[in-house]
Amino acid sequence: MNETTLIGLVISILQFGTLLYLAALGETIAEKSGVLNLGVEGMMAMGGVIAFFVGVGTGNPWLALIAGAVAGAALALVHGLVSVVMGADQVVSGLALTILGLGLAAFIGRDLVSEPPGAQFSALDLGPLSDIPWVGPTMFSMTAVSWLALALGAIAAFFLTRTRVGLQLRAVGESAATADAGGTAVVKFRLVAVAIGGALAGMSGGYLTLSLAPGWSEGTTAGRGWIAVALVIFGAWKPGRVLIGSLLFGGLIALEPRLQTFGVEISPILLSMLPYVLTVAVLIAISIRSRNRPSVAPAAIGQAYRREER
Amino acid sequence: MFGYRFVRRETPLWGGQLRAFLVGLLIALLAGAVLLVLAGHSPIDVYSKMFSSSLGSTRAISSTLGRAVPLGLAGLAVAVAGSMGMWNIGAEGQIIAGAIGGAWVARLFPDLAGPVLIPAMLLGAVAGGALLALGPAIVRSRLGVSEIITTLMLNEVAIRIVRYLVNGPWQDPASNNFPVAPILPEQSQLPTLFERANIGVLIAAVVLLGVGAFTARSRWGYELRIAGSSEQTAEYVGISLKQKVLTVLVLSGAIAGLAGGLELTGSADRLVEGVANGWGFAGIIVAALALLRPSGVAAVAVAFGAIQIGGLAIKTQGVPSSIANILQAMILFGALAAAVFGTHTLVRSTASTSVSSTTAAGADA
Amino acid sequence: MFAVELDGIWKRFPGVVANAGATLRVRPGSVHAVLGENGAGKTTLMNVLAGGYLPDEGSVLLDGKPQHFTRPADAIAAGVGMVHQEFRLIPTFTVAENVVLGSGPWLLSKSAIETQVAELADRFHLATTPDREVWQLSMGERQRVEILKALWTDARVLILDEPTAVLTPPEADELGRITRSMADDGRCIIFISHKLDEVTSFCDEATVLRGGQTTAASLPVADLDAGRIAELMVGEATEVSQRRNRIEPVGDTVLDVSSVVVTDVRGRTVVNGVSLDVGAGEIVGIAGVAGNGQRPLADCIAGLTRTTSGRVTVDGNDITTDKPSARSAAGLAYVPEDRLGVGLAPRMTVTENTMMRSYRRLSKGPFIDRSAADAETDALIDTYNVKVGQKKSPIAALSGGNLQRLLVGREVETNPRVLVAAQPTRGLDVQGVAAIQQLLVDQAAAGIGILLISEDLAELFALSDRLLVMHEGRVVGTFDPDDATRADVGAAMAGVRQTATAGITVEGA
């Protein structure tokens, strides 16, 4: 096993980690406010196709990325409107969002399939830092988007734990009625959280089509949105742990095509099952642990909130 | 929010999920029309082609019915679990597991005569789907682990199992390294019913009717609905919740598995990775629109089947078949919104409407 | 000038007038009790003050200035804080996080808020642990968090709704000390209560409500005596209600409850050694303000809650560890307080609800005999005069009275030996109440023993052969309705110790 292959592996891990983390971070924020959004795959696809489209049109990767984020947020607000404001079932609405997002993305992108990418993110040149052995060619050669993901994660963690608004967001996700009684606008918080979740998922899709696998094709999201949903649980709804999980699951994805080079005989397909199996195991562990104490899951997740009348 | 709130109406504006569905359909068709126009197509042309190719002739209807089979069974699977308040999001994986089960039987006994082989394969399919649902069922009934996530994750596991099989041990040696399984024996295909529909349509209809009737009239179905009503009521009456959870989820998986088996003995001639084709997820939409009633499931499944067949047909006109999925999703959103507006009305939040009480009504002194 | 003044408050809800011109005047720096039995309008009035309800008529003044609250946040901003009976806390948050949730600095640091909360608690001698998560705390500790929340927003008026209902005696004393120190700080505390002893221990003045009106305003506590208070709470001693004809003599014991103790999920003893018996053809009533253990007792007899110790016997058969369905088979019928949550399934049809007890019997093999079920339902509807629109429509569409007739009828049709009815006429209109009461009387006449738990004293007086009073999980007195007065019963309900006189039997302490 030589250095180049190992470095290649690490780079790939960081790339997939970024992809997964952006989407999972967004979903974490949404779920923390009590909204389950199963439409991540759809938002990712929409973000990806719009970002690619804008990239081809303008040649500016940042504009494209932002466009992708906006597309994701817009789609997420459909789910928000129907399930948070109107109180319809979040599971059904989220799944419909996945179907809608994937279908719409395929529709919009039908002519973009063999189009060469118009804009891409290249590795950030950090000067002498990239010459450091091992860390240089890997971590310090990440694209700006990866650094952005890290920054967003740090901001989210700070925001959730150290600001009162973050406290209110968490309160809305634990007990909407209590938060409401204390003067917090439940619906507003949830909508904003869902929109942020959509924006990050869209950004993740944009990263996919602009950087990780430049180009657009139907199905390019390849189930990664579902991994992001799993990651939120795996990371116990904490941005820091979700990051670790993203790297872990990203590592599993990165290993798939490389198993043979590393001399491992297991079929890569079986390896790719691991993230899902691991998530189920973690979920079971959480359930067993919360027999005698409250679960780490936001208590109000999935429940619509309507103020009662008197 | 924004000074407006949703408030329950005194009497619902209209009764009936049917009307909500129709409103949803309308909204979807309008939204779809906008998309088509933006893409440079004529909505009238596209929609009429969709209609004629799915419902415009006996041949078309037979295709539609064929498509309705997996949609209807997946919808039934979700509806059965839903009657106890549980969400089986794993129908997609269970269909695949069913197809694997059926294919496995065909591999083991390729020389059996048709009338024996087909039922055997279908049994294998039912077992496959039930088996995949067993894990989530056990952890839900024993530990209370959310079946939403466990069934969802197993979807991806099932996809990878079939991927592994068709890329590896079950790969067709005659297929030039394509990830497909060998063609199934000829006698494993269901006989034709009419035009393009095989008797799988009958089988599915019987299952839908049977399960529907059974849950409506049997003790078991009755107890199921009580259990779905409230835990305390179930205890009051003496029903074991744990047992019900287990049997319901496994049954749900079995029904979805059957869909996979029927696919294998019907339209598909061999096991491929895409055997479930998104029907598992569509089934959830179908069940939601049908309000979990088996009769509604049949109707919505046929409607969706028509949309999907129509979607395939317009590919020749240069319209991507994804329009079908877009329409299906929009129908759901439209119907959800319509249903809410049917039972609630938008009211300005004024000072005279008072605020929340977390205590039970009637308990104040 | 009064710190708080509520003048002529009217508040109506569909079907009920909760406040009918009630008034309240609280002096600054005082601890003021608002007394009354269930349905008197105490909590409604306090909710008006706290911004939870907008009054139909009347005015709210703080320090002489008129206030117009449209939601609780307005009241909080004006300095009114309320601690409800059911706490509004987030279990997974720490004490400090719960306290600062409503208002505070933008940026939080864990240690800073914990220190600030600790300081606040110290000022008022409130023992608390700012860094622990709420789910780990006892009820007394949780209540202190609620009080801290109010203090954090600098509440000048603090309303406590039945605060000692969830406290142990030492915790209650602690609460008394806390409220006194807050009053000394110039704030005013309002205690909603029905317990005389706590009123006399902690409060300076008391206002009594009955039927939505103020029957006595700002009485100095020192001038109070139990009899007078009870009278003000439950009405004149001379009120006479229709008594039914008793069956003499009463038959064999059909229900025997022996030293039953029930502890709730938090380890609190909610039923503290209750013993009672019901004979065939007898109606035994249990009076008491809600929350004194009646509901756990009923649920325990029915098998929905575990008995911690003690025995329950029906017709001589020990059913203490039986499941609810087995108890039904043994001859126990139950009409629960929570009609639509426990006794009936709201989304199922009328027929499906009526067959809850009998469906096993009506089954042929795996299927339910639909026509037999329908026939039974028809018979039930007929016998018990239930007005249903469509048998096939969900039962939630029925009015309260009809629901209850259905429920009682269904239970009675199981041919029980004893019927436990918890709050059977609550929320019903006049005809509904009369119909259910008649049903119960008829069943007793037919030889069924009835345990009637009710908050309606008039009903208990009219129907019971013997009247027990529960207070804080115990039976504190047994009364003969023919001889005892409402005032006596009312006093027992308020926790006043009874002296054995004609018609009153006192349980040992």
Side-chain angles (χ1 to χ4, degrees):
Chain A
M1 176 164 56
N2 66 41
E3 192 175 315
T4 3
T5 34
L6 200 56
I7 289 182
L9 174 67
V10 175
I11 292 180
S12 186
I13 293 177
L14 292 172
Q15 285 178 326
F16 282 110
T18 304
L19 178 74
L20 294 174
Y21 190 53
L22 280 170
L25 183 67
E27 180 68 11
T28 303
I29 294 175
E31 289 191 18
K32 268 294 197 187
S33 80
V35 182
L36 179 67
N37 187 350
L38 290 177
V40 183
E41 186 86 356
M43 298 188 292
M44 243 174 140
M46 271 300 280
V49 77
I50 296 289
F52 188 73
F53 184 73
V54 173
V56 166
T58 66
N60 181 333
W62 285 106
L63 211 57
L65 193 69
I66 292 175
V70 171
L75 204 66
L77 281 174
V78 174
H79 173 60
L81 187 71
V82 167
S83 63
V84 175
V85 177
M86 295 192 197
D89 189 279
Q90 290 179 8
V91 172
V92 176
S93 174
L95 281 169
L97 197 76
T98 292
I99 297 179
L100 181 66
L102 286 171
L104 209 53
F107 189 84
I108 293 174
R110 68 197 178 284
D111 295 324
L112 292 171
V113 179
S114 38
E115 189 81 24
Q120 268 187 285
F121 282 98
S122 46
L124 262 189
D125 181 14
L126 292 173
L129 282 174
S130 353
D131 292 329
I132 307 175
W134 290 108
V135 188
T138 53
M139 225 184 106
F140 291 127
S141 305
M142 294 196 299
T143 61
V145 184
S146 301
W147 292 109
L148 178 64
L150 274 176
L152 287 172
I155 294 174
F158 179 81
F159 174 79
L160 283 173
T161 52
R162 286 178 163 259
T163 63
R164 204 166 67 80
V165 177
L167 190 70
Q168 285 179 303
L169 186 108
R170 283 190 287 138
V172 165
E174 292 290 334
S175 168
T178 304
D180 193 17
T184 306
V186 173
V187 171
K188 266 190 213 139
F189 265 89
R190 285 186 170 174
L191 278 181
V192 171
V194 167
I196 292 177
L200 286 171
M203 207 184 281
S204 168
Y207 176 69
L208 178 65
T209 56
L210 295 171
S211 179
L212 204 157
W216 167 259
S217 65
E218 200 178 324
T220 184
T221 44
R224 310 280 158 67
W226 296 119
I227 299 190
V229 173
L231 268 172
V232 176
I233 298 165
F234 188 81
W237 292 268
K238 296 188 173 71
R241 291 207 201 166
V242 173
L243 176 62
I244 295 174
S246 306
L247 289 171
L248 182 64
F249 285 15
L252 290 173
I253 301 178
L255 267 178
E256 277 172 48
R258 290 181 167 82
L259 278 179
Q260 275 206 321
T261 25
F262 288 121
V264 182
E265 283 306 315
I266 313 174
S267 163
I269 300 177
L270 295 178
L271 183 72
S272 64
M273 274 193 238
L274 266 183
Y276 307 101
V277 174
L278 282 175
T279 302
V280 172
V282 167
L283 197 57
I284 295 179
I286 291 180
S287 288
I288 295 182
R289 258 199 92 207
S290 44
R291 285 249 186 94
N292 292 318
R293 45 169 302 152
S295 166
V296 284
I301 198 170
Q303 301 161 19
Y305 176 67
R306 270 209 203 96
R307 218 186 250 169
E308 294 299 324
E309 339 252 39
R310 270 311 227 112
Chain B
M1 186 190 82
F2 305 134
Y4 286 89
R5 279 188 16 233
F6 273 100
V7 159
R8 240 173 212 281
R9 288 181 195 269
E10 280 296 316
T11 45
L13 188 57
W14 49 51
Q17 184 69 352
L18 181 59
R19 281 181 242 210
F21 179 83
L22 290 175
V23 170
L25 184 61
L26 198 64
I27 295 177
L29 289 175
L30 282 171
V34 169
L35 266 180
L36 288 169
V37 164
L38 286 176
H41 298 276
S42 152
I44 314 276
D45 285 346
V46 170
Y47 284 156
S48 53
K49 174 87 176 154
M50 282 179 77
F51 185 80
S52 63
S53 62
S54 60
L55 296 168
S57 65
T58 350
R59 183 156 212 218
I61 294 184
S62 68
S63 304
T64 296
L65 285 177
R67 268 301 173 120
V69 166
L71 287 169
L73 286 174
L76 183 66
V78 175
V80 164
S83 66
M84 246 192 95
M86 294 190 290
W87 280 111
N88 178 5
I89 315 282
E92 187 87 359
Q94 288 144 18
I95 294 177
I96 294 176
I100 293 177
W104 192 49
V105 169
R107 279 181 79 85
L108 284 180
F109 311 110
D111 298 315
L112 280 180
V116 181
L117 183 60
I118 294 179
M121 283 174 71
L122 291 179
L123 264 169
V126 165
L131 206 63
L132 194 70
L134 189 62
I138 292 178
V139 296
R140 167 67 208 243
S141 73
R142 290 288 169 83
L143 298 169
V145 176
S146 161
E147 75 286 354
I148 297 179
I149 304 293
T150 46
T151 52
L152 189 63
M153 296 294 109
L154 287 185
N155 278 339
E156 298 291 313
V157 171
I159 290 176
R160 282 161 179 80
I161 293 180
V162 73
R163 188 182 289 166
Y164 167 74
L165 288 172
V166 299
N167 273 292
W170 285 12
Q171 188 175 43
D172 186 359
S175 71
N176 278 330
N177 242 350
F178 270 94
V180 295
I183 298 194
L184 293 163
E186 217 184 284
Q187 71 272 29
S188 72
Q189 298 302 295
L190 287 162
T192 317
L193 182 64
F194 72 101
E195 298 276 4
R196 286 180 150 206
N198 57 43
I199 63 171
V201 175
L202 283 179
I203 298 177
V206 165
V207 170
L208 259 152
L209 264 168
V211 172
F214 190 72
T215 39
R217 285 171 219 259
S218 69
R219 274 180 56 172
W220 184 82
Y222 175 69
E223 290 178 349
L224 205 68
R225 275 170 286 140
I226 293 193
S229 190
S230 97
E231 219 178 289
Q232 281 225 296
T233 313
E235 245 199 277
Y236 184 65
V237 176
I239 298 173
S240 159
L241 271 176
K242 288 200 172 140
Q243 222 193 40
K244 288 275 175 306
V245 167
L246 197 61
T247 40
V248 164
L249 280 176
V250 170
L251 177 66
S252 180
I255 297 174
L258 179 64
L262 285 175
E263 181 64 13
L264 215 56
T265 55
S267 338
D269 56 357
R270 53 168 112 213
L271 181 67
V272 294
E273 189 178 320
V275 65
N277 210 0
W279 291 321
F281 288 118
I284 297 167
I285 311 284
V286 168
L289 282 169
L291 288 184
L292 306 179
R293 292 197 205 110
S295 49
V297 167
V300 178
V302 171
F304 273 27
I307 295 176
Q308 288 197 356
I309 294 289
L312 284 177
I314 54 178
K315 254 204 217 174
T316 53
Q317 289 192 329
V319 181
S321 57
S322 47
I323 190 87
N325 284 342
I326 296 175
L327 284 176
Q328 280 170 198
M330 287 302 308
I331 292 179
L332 181 88
F333 281 123
L336 278 176
V340 171
F341 270 105
T343 48
H344 294 71
T345 181
L346 213 49
V347 145
R348 182 159 269 234
S349 271
T350 59
S352 66
T353 46
S354 313
V355 194
S356 60
S357 158
T358 52
T359 55
D364 84 330
Chain C
M1 187 174 56
F2 294 105
V4 175
E5 195 171 338
L6 294 170
D7 245 333
I9 300 287
W10 282 83
K11 181 65 188 167
R12 299 175 190 85
F13 295 114
V16 66
V17 177
N19 289 139
T23 59
L24 177 72
R25 289 188 183 82
V26 183
R27 290 183 294 108
S30 70
V31 182
H32 196 110
V34 174
L35 281 173
E37 56 170 358
N38 287 108
K42 320 190 282 291
T43 306
T44 307
L45 189 65
M46 291 302 100
N47 268 308
V48 166
L49 176 58
Y53 299 147
L54 201 70
D56 299 324
E57 287 165 50
S59 49
V60 175
L61 296 105
L62 291 178
D63 290 327
K65 297 192 226 25
Q67 305 289 328
H68 207 74
F69 303 140
T70 55
R71 49 198 178 116
D74 293 342
I76 293 174
V80 178
M82 184 163 173
V83 175
H84 299 260
Q85 276 188 49
E86 285 176 23
F87 299 147
R88 295 178 182 175
L89 298 171
I90 305 213
T92 46
F93 281 8
T94 62
V95 169
E97 286 175 328
N98 268 287
V99 172
V100 307
L101 181 62
S103 66
W106 281 106
L107 243 57
L108 308 169
S109 111
K110 201 161 173 343
S111 49
I113 56 171
E114 283 169 15
T115 321
Q116 288 173 26
V117 168
E119 276 169 11
L120 182 67
D122 273 340
R123 264 182 61 202
F124 293 95
H125 312 293
L126 278 163
T128 186
T129 48
D131 57 336
R132 279 179 78 202
E133 291 179 7
V134 163
W135 63 273
Q136 299 172 308
L137 303 180
S138 72
M139 293 306 274
E141 290 171 307
R142 290 187 206 203
Q143 193 181 65
R144 291 202 282 276
V145 178
E146 285 277 7
I147 296 178
L148 272 173
K149 271 166 65 176
L151 289 172
W152 180 260
T153 57
D154 199 29
R156 306 301 303 170
V157 177
L158 181 65
I159 307 168
L160 300 166
D161 192 352
E162 308 274 6
T164 61
V166 297
L167 301 180
T168 61
E171 287 176 326
D173 291 335
E174 179 65 28
L175 179 66
R177 280 192 287 276
I178 294 169
T179 50
R180 178 53 54 194
S181 90
M182 288 186 351
D184 290 340
D185 192 47
R187 300 165 205 262
C188 57
I189 319 291
I190 303 179
F191 251 84
I192 303 177
S193 178
H194 64 274
K195 293 189 195 170
L196 216 46
D197 51 350
E198 105 190 350
V199 169
T200 44
S201 322
F202 303 144
C203 307
D204 305 318
E205 294 181 331
T207 296
V208 184
L209 293 183
R210 197 176 93 235
Q213 296 174 319
T214 305
T215 51
S218 305
L219 298 175
V221 158
D223 294 348
L224 288 182
D225 82 86
R228 173 127 163 73
I229 283 284
E231 209 178 314
L232 288 165
M233 276 170 57
V234 303
E236 268 132 34
T238 53
E239 259 178 49
V240 168
S241 11
Q242 278 276 12
R243 289 281 299 141
R244 60 164 223 182
N245 297 323
R246 248 186 251 203
I247 293 187
E248 304 264 14
V250 159
D252 293 331
T253 305
V254 283
L255 174 68
D256 189 25
V257 175
S258 178
S259 306
V260 161
V261 173
V262 178
T263 35
D264 69 3
V265 284
R266 295 195 192 105
R268 269 181 59 236
T269 307
V270 286
V271 177
N272 202 346
V274 166
S275 298
L276 58 89
D277 61 87
V278 179
E282 186 180 22
I283 298 184
V284 175
I286 298 187
V289 179
N292 279 291
Q294 300 95 310
R295 182 162 175 178
L297 178 66
D299 278 347
C300 160
I301 295 176
L304 288 172
T305 307
R306 258 191 62 235
T307 320
T308 308
S309 70
R311 251 183 36 215
V312 180
T313 322
V314 168
D315 236 3
N317 300 317
D318 190 339
I319 57 167
T320 317
T321 49
D322 281 355
K323 287 206 282 223
S325 45
R327 297 187 195 215
S328 177
L332 178 85
Y334 183 36
V335 174
E337 210 177 299
D338 190 356
R339 273 161 229 158
L340 281 177
V342 177
L344 299 166
R347 280 181 308 231
M348 294 172 75
T349 66
V350 172
T351 313
E352 289 180 320
N353 271 284
T354 51
M355 52 179 189
M356 258 193 225
R357 291 291 193 199
S358 55
Y359 76 95
R360 290 183 183 97
R361 184 176 33 89
L362 290 170
S363 305
K364 287 194 199 137
F367 291 98
I368 299 182
D369 186 347
R370 263 312 156 88
S371 45
D374 280 336
E376 275 203 11
T377 306
D378 282 332
L380 207 110
I381 292 177
D382 210 26
T383 319
Y384 297 96
N385 227 327
V386 186
K387 285 190 203 59
V388 300
Q390 264 276 35
K391 277 207 293 291
K392 297 266 190 285
S393 50
I395 205 172
L398 265 61
S399 74
N402 285 306
L403 276 175
Q404 195 65 326
R405 273 179 252 220
L406 196 73
L407 186 53
V408 176
R410 183 188 78 198
E411 291 300 309
V412 165
E413 288 297 309
T414 62
N415 286 322
R417 300 285 285 144
V418 62
L419 173 70
V420 175
Q423 318 293 353
T425 59
R426 181 198 267 166
L428 301 186
D429 62 14
V430 180
Q431 289 116 313
V433 171
I436 299 294
Q437 288 180 345
Q438 191 59 43
L439 264 172
L440 293 174
V441 169
D442 291 341
Q443 294 312 310
I448 298 180
I450 299 186
L451 185 65
L452 173 63
I453 300 173
S454 176
E455 284 158 14
D456 184 346
L457 264 187
E459 167 174 280
L460 288 167
F461 265 92
L463 300 179
S464 318
D465 297 314
R466 279 184 291 137
L467 182 53
L468 307 173
V469 175
M470 273 188 81
H471 182 78
E472 294 192 328
R474 286 197 177 84
V475 173
V476 295
T478 308
F479 296 83
D480 180 343
D482 278 335
D483 298 327
T485 64
R486 282 178 67 117
D488 292 331
V489 175
M493 283 165 63
V496 175
R497 287 282 181 75
Q498 301 298 297
T499 43
T501 53
I504 301 176
T505 331
V506 180
E507 304 293 315

